Amino acid sequence: MERTLVIIKPDAVSKKYIGDIIKIFDQYKFDLVALKMIRPSRKNIEEFYSIHKEKEFFKPLVEFMISGPIVVCVWQAQNIVLAVREIIGSTDSKKAKQGTIRNLFGTDGRINAVHASDSVENANKEICFFFEKEEIIEN
Ligand code: CMP
């Protein structure tokens, strides 16, 4: 069984898309094993996205991610990391395939509704970044 981290970003939270996004993953019969709404600190987000710290979009990305509450959740299923990446679509919402979450609920390359882990290795790191072991349901 694999797990992946999904973040419902401030744009999608403020537009009331939390339920719609969770419903999409439920329809795939993925198991939701952890979920919380948080207001992350600047330091937290800078650390989470530290791989991008030299990129020109880093500062506005951090501002965006701390502009309002986010929902962090962990989903579990076989081969879920790649499956979720397909379901959310490409980073730029304007280029994301029709019917993907970013196409449906995002706006552009930064304001793109959701984040999802891009590999099993990163998923494990990202899950540990936001959740204590006791916060994750063991099936
Ligand atoms: P995410 O999947 O969370 O990973 C890094 C985030 O940086 C990405 O979604 C976007 O929100 C943002 N991002 C990535 N590339 C760009 C870009 N070229 N311009 C602006 N923001 C970007």
Side-chain angles (χ1 to χ4, degrees), residues 8-12 14 40 42 45 49 57-70 108-114:
I8 304 177
K9 296 189 180 187
D11 58 324
S14 71
R42 179 180 299 274
I45 290 295
Y49 281 120
F57 62 77
F58 182 69
K59 213 168 167 279
L61 169 63
V62 173
E63 295 303 331
F64 163 53
M65 290 299 294
I66 62 170
S67 66
I70 60 172
D108 57 26
R110 174 167 58 247
I111 302 167
N112 59 357
V114 287

Side-chain angles (χ1 to χ4, degrees), residues 1-128:
M1 268 308 176
E2 241 171 58
R3 286 173 175 172
T4 196
L5 180 88
V6 172
I7 304 177
I8 304 177
K9 296 189 180 187
D11 58 324
V13 172
S14 71
K15 289 176 180 164
K16 314 275 182 212
Y17 291 143
I18 299 171
D20 300 273
I21 292 169
I22 288 177
K23 191 168 183 189
I24 290 173
F25 294 126
D26 272 337
Q27 282 165 345
Y28 281 89
K29 309 284 181 214
F30 299 154
D31 290 319
L32 180 60
V33 295
L35 172 115
K36 60 188 173 187
M37 182 183 263
I38 57 170
R39 194 74 202 248
S41 67
R42 179 180 299 274
K43 196 168 157 275
N44 238 223
I45 290 295
E46 284 176 349
E47 195 184 333
F48 182 77
Y49 281 120
S50 59
I51 191 173
H52 298 304
K53 69 173 183 289
E54 304 305 331
K55 309 256 176 68
E56 86 290 345
F57 62 77
F58 182 69
K59 213 168 167 279
L61 169 63
V62 173
E63 295 303 331
F64 163 53
M65 290 299 294
I66 62 170
S67 66
I70 60 172
V71 173
V72 285
C73 42
V74 180
W75 293 88
Q76 179 174 287
Q78 276 175 7
N79 304 315
I80 194 168
V81 172
L82 272 182
V84 165
R85 294 285 291 187
E86 287 285 314
I87 293 162
I88 69 171
S90 51
T91 304
D92 188 341
S93 292
K94 290 201 181 107
K95 296 178 186 156
K97 258 194 224 151
Q98 223 178 345
T100 60
I101 290 177
R102 283 167 167 164
N103 163 257
L104 292 169
F105 306 119
T107 304
D108 57 26
R110 174 167 58 247
I111 302 167
N112 59 357
V114 287
H115 164 86
S117 313
D118 64 0
S119 67
V120 174
E121 194 190 345
N122 283 338
N124 292 331
K125 285 186 201 156
E126 292 181 357
I127 290 166
C128 292

